[in-house]
């Protein structure tokens, strides 16, 4: 579903190369975890997948269902079913969360050639999804993410993901800032989205999240490259021994 081949990317402003020959394949149905030290390029990779203009791909390719997405703008990627939950979700003042959800869902439907949702059906879906994440429906009347606590923002991301039913989901440190109960709720939300026709990429620092969302594969990102891949036992190994061994092996 997702094939990243020898990707090189740099910051447009100053030309610094952040992604340096990254290879990663994630199949449909797979949950892949990306781990790696601070500053290794994990969030940058998610921005590049989203199509942020601050980064420029200089070499390699990103294939989504066999097609390059490099020429697609962020909106086209979203309607194609690519969803990114960022480490620091953006605040959108002036747009009620509810309204944002409605527009986003109907854009997706339009792209699939479906009619916009009728209001009662939309409300029903939002209420169900919010309840499953233990979110107060009144919160959705507030502007998206504005004044939301860290954990509330993360839940709001998962709520969007549930409602938009994307095919490729990338979650950047969705566990950071979540309390113990929220971690469970959010993990259950992600697990509920596991499906043979969907791929999920989870960026995390901690084995703890992976106890709830058990990954099929684990990849270590370091200095803009995947330096080691393995199964979930790799995450246990990293938790116990840190990154030094893996980095040493790759050097
Ligand atoms: N726009 C930018 N300008 C300057 N440096 C940048 C920019 N974007 C990314 N970087 C640098 O690229 C490197 C990778 O950053 P990135 O946020 O992708 O790391 P990360 O692996 O997500 O780290 P963390 O685990 O701390 O979230 C860092 O050294 C960061 O400072
Ligand atoms: Mg990051």
């Amino acid at each position: 579903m997702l094939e990243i081949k020898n990707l090189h990317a740099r910051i447009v402003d100053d030309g610094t190369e952040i992604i340096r020959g990254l290879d990663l394949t994630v199949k449909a149905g797979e949950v892949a975890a990306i781990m790696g030290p601070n500053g290794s390029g994990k969030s940058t990779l998610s921005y590049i997948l989203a199509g942020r203009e601050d980064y420029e791909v200089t070499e390699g390719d990103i294939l989504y269902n066999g097609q390059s997405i490099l020429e697609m703008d962020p909106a086209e990627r979203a309607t194609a079913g690519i969803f990114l939950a960022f480490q620091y979700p953006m605040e959108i003042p002036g747009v009620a969360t509810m309204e944002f959800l409605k527009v986003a869902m109907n854009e997706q439907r339009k792209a699939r050639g479906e009619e916009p949702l009728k209001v009662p059906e939309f409300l029903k879906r939002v209420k169900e999804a919010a309840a499953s994440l233990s979110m107060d429906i009144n919160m959705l009347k507030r502007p998206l993410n504005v004044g939301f606590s860290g954990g509330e923002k993360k839940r709001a991301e998962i709520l969007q993901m549930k409602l938009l039913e994307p095919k490729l989901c990338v979650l950047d440190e969705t566990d950071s800032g979540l309390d113990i109960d929220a971690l469970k709720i959010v993990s259950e939300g992600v697990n509920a989205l596991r499906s043979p026709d969907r791929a999920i990429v989870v960026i995390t620092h901690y084995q703890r999240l992976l106890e709830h969302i058990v990954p099929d594969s684990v990849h270590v990102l370091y200095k803009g490259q995947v330096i080691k891949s393995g199964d979930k036992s790799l995450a246990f190994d990293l938790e116990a021994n840190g990154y030094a061994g893996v980095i040493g092996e790759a050097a």
Side-chain angles (χ1 to χ4, degrees):
M1 175 164 274
L2 174 68
E3 259 179 288
I4 303 177
K5 294 179 176 172
N6 187 32
L7 190 72
H8 290 256
R10 62 185 185 196
I11 300 166
V12 171
D13 275 352
D14 61 8
T16 315
E17 191 171 55
I18 308 285
I19 303 297
R20 306 182 179 94
L22 188 150
D23 290 290
L24 177 70
T25 300
V26 186
K27 297 197 185 74
E30 190 177 330
V31 174
I34 297 183
M35 304 182 79
N38 293 132
S40 55
K42 302 178 301 294
S43 293
T44 302
L45 176 64
S46 71
Y47 296 143
I48 293 168
L49 287 169
R52 277 233 193 144
E53 282 170 0
D54 326 48
Y55 303 94
E56 177 187 18
V57 172
T58 52
E59 208 183 318
D61 209 348
I62 304 173
L63 305 182
Y64 171 63
N65 292 328
Q67 305 254 321
S68 176
I69 61 166
L70 294 183
E71 298 300 319
M72 293 164 73
D73 67 31
E76 288 171 325
R77 295 180 195 203
T79 43
I82 300 175
F83 180 90
L84 287 295
F86 294 115
Q87 186 170 1
Y88 305 105
M90 228 187 322
E91 301 191 357
I92 309 195
V95 182
T97 305
M98 203 70 125
E99 188 56 29
F100 175 88
L101 291 170
K102 194 160 89 191
V103 171
M105 284 167 78
N106 283 334
E107 277 302 310
Q108 293 278 44
R109 296 176 65 83
K110 201 165 123 193
R112 293 196 295 253
E114 296 166 12
E115 292 292 309
L117 280 173
K118 298 231 163 39
V119 173
E121 174 62 21
F122 165 74
L123 286 175
K124 183 170 160 262
R125 289 194 194 185
V126 173
K127 278 182 188 156
E128 276 172 12
S132 75
L133 293 167
S134 304
M135 282 178 84
D136 182 354
I137 196 86
N138 284 317
M139 204 170 137
L140 306 181
K141 294 175 186 156
R142 289 163 54 184
L144 181 60
N145 289 329
V146 178
F148 286 18
S149 77
E152 287 167 351
K153 285 181 183 173
K154 300 287 163 168
R155 286 189 211 212
E157 295 281 290
I158 301 299
L159 177 74
Q160 291 167 48
M161 190 167 97
K162 263 180 167 293
L163 291 168
L164 294 173
E165 304 180 315
K167 289 295 180 234
L168 172 64
C169 311
V170 181
L171 309 173
D172 191 0
E173 295 196 25
T174 299
D175 49 337
S176 74
L178 290 181
D179 67 42
I180 296 159
D181 294 336
L183 181 69
K184 243 178 136 176
I185 291 165
V186 163
S187 305
E188 280 163 11
V190 174
N191 283 329
L193 280 162
R194 279 179 177 240
S195 126
D197 64 350
R198 181 173 289 130
I200 303 177
V201 178
V202 189
I203 299 172
T204 183
H205 283 293
Y206 305 108
Q207 160 59 29
R208 193 187 52 163
L209 177 72
L210 304 178
E211 282 165 15
H212 297 286
I213 305 171
V214 181
D216 300 299
S217 60
V218 175
H219 309 271
V220 180
L221 196 63
Y222 180 63
K223 293 190 176 173
Q225 280 189 330
V226 173
I227 57 165
K228 187 169 181 138
S229 297
D231 60 17
K232 64 179 180 195
S233 66
L234 177 55
F236 286 104
D237 182 46
L238 293 170
E239 183 91 10
N241 303 312
Y243 288 109
V246 174
I247 292 168
E249 265 173 51

